[in-house]
Amino acid sequence: MSYVERSLDELERGEKALKELTSPDKGHIDLAFIYTLGAHFAPLLLKEFSTHPDYQQISFSLSQGNTKDLLTHLKNETIDIALCSMVVPDEQIHFERIAEEEVVLIVPIHHPLAELEEIDLADTAPYPFVFFNKKSGLRPIVDSMLAEVNITPKIVCEVEEDHTLAGFVAFGHGIGILPRIAALDHYAVKIISIKNPSYHRFIYAATLKNHYLAPATRLFRDFVVNYGQTFFLHKS
């Protein structure tokens, strides 16, 4: 980015901050969230937020991505809040846990394992996997789970996000491990609880530490932290 572009970005941020200070009941929030929150959680959260009489003059720009990319955008100040998982702790970012999801196994509906309701992950060793790639915030979780039961997975393909993984499993490319998201009900897969090892993926509201938060952004962050789990269908 050139010096001129950086200067224009700073001016734009300063203009936005000034407007928000002079009209604390108004504002615009750049919100980003991981792909799996787009079908249910994020729309529901914004709907509930918009019904509050104090929040109706707050608008949003929305974007999606994987956790690593969202946190990069947060550090670059191109977004105000990220709803994401946490790959590793980051001294520049404040994470507030807002919800959790059970991590499950999915298999095609006619798969030999499809008769099971729960499984020891060690019993998946003979079968090929559709796997998350290394850009995904879920990859370290899945790697850790399989390492606990001494499995080196047979990976047939790697994908970035949950819906693609579910689609490839539904079409018989392999089995997969992912959070129990609402959208799984729309795929031709059997959802199997993992009894060993049992894991949950946590969802966080992420903001920059030691950084100015506009009144509208603070209001929304507090709303998410206070009520996020209430609206999350698949909390434990």
Side-chain angles (χ1 to χ4, degrees):
M1 183 181 293
S2 70
Y3 173 78
V4 173
E5 288 173 323
R6 287 195 298 270
S7 298
L8 289 173
D9 284 345
E10 290 295 333
L11 286 172
E12 184 177 343
R13 284 196 288 269
E15 182 180 3
K16 178 182 176 184
L18 182 60
K19 288 180 179 178
E20 289 164 342
L21 283 172
T22 56
S23 303
D25 59 334
K26 300 179 182 179
H28 185 82
I29 301 171
D30 291 301
L31 173 67
F33 44 87
I34 54 177
Y35 295 111
T36 52
L37 302 185
H40 180 81
F41 181 61
L44 177 60
L45 188 65
L46 265 63
K47 179 181 179 182
E48 295 290 343
F49 183 76
S50 68
T51 61
H52 194 291
D54 293 338
Y55 305 158
Q56 292 180 357
Q57 297 188 74
I58 296 174
S59 60
F60 291 84
S61 292
L62 307 175
S63 58
Q64 292 175 271
N66 62 61
T67 289
K68 289 182 179 179
D69 288 345
L70 296 188
L71 296 182
T72 297
H73 293 315
L74 188 63
K75 290 180 180 180
N76 290 338
E77 301 182 32
T78 55
I79 60 174
D80 300 311
I81 301 178
L83 305 182
C84 57
S85 59
M86 180 171 57
V87 179
V88 293
D90 190 309
E91 62 181 14
Q92 297 182 52
I93 298 175
H94 178 66
F95 292 93
E96 284 272 6
R97 185 187 296 181
I98 59 172
E100 61 183 293
E101 300 167 305
E102 178 190 7
V103 177
V104 297
L105 178 75
I106 60 171
V107 303
I109 55 175
H110 299 300
H111 192 273
L113 297 177
E115 297 180 357
L116 301 176
E117 299 300 325
E118 63 177 16
I119 192 170
D120 187 311
L121 206 54
D123 295 333
T124 64
Y127 303 103
F129 276 85
V130 179
F131 229 60
F132 287 109
N133 65 27
K134 293 183 178 180
K135 293 182 66 177
S136 169
L138 284 160
R139 177 63 179 262
I141 293 175
V142 176
D143 285 342
S144 178
M145 293 177 73
L146 291 172
E148 281 195 38
V149 291
N150 298 312
I151 289 179
T152 301
K154 304 170 185 176
I155 300 173
V156 295
C157 61
E158 296 184 353
V159 302
E160 184 175 338
E161 53 87 27
D162 307 56
H163 294 281
T164 304
L165 191 149
F168 272 78
V169 171
F171 277 89
H173 292 275
I175 63 177
I177 299 171
L178 78 174
R180 185 191 286 268
I181 57 174
L184 289 181
D185 294 337
H186 302 292
Y187 291 92
V189 299
K190 174 64 181 293
I191 304 170
I192 304 172
S193 294
I194 300 172
K195 62 183 179 182
N196 178 53
S198 177
Y199 268 67
H200 287 78
R201 191 265 295 271
F202 296 102
I203 303 298
Y204 298 86
T207 53
L208 288 177
K209 290 181 180 178
N210 304 317
H211 183 77
Y212 170 76
L213 284 182
T217 304
R218 289 200 305 271
L219 279 173
F220 182 70
R221 181 198 60 190
D222 293 345
F223 179 86
V224 172
V225 171
N226 289 334
Y227 297 102
Q229 291 193 2
T230 303
F231 303 134
F232 206 86
L233 274 185
H234 296 288
K235 64 180 181 177
S236 62

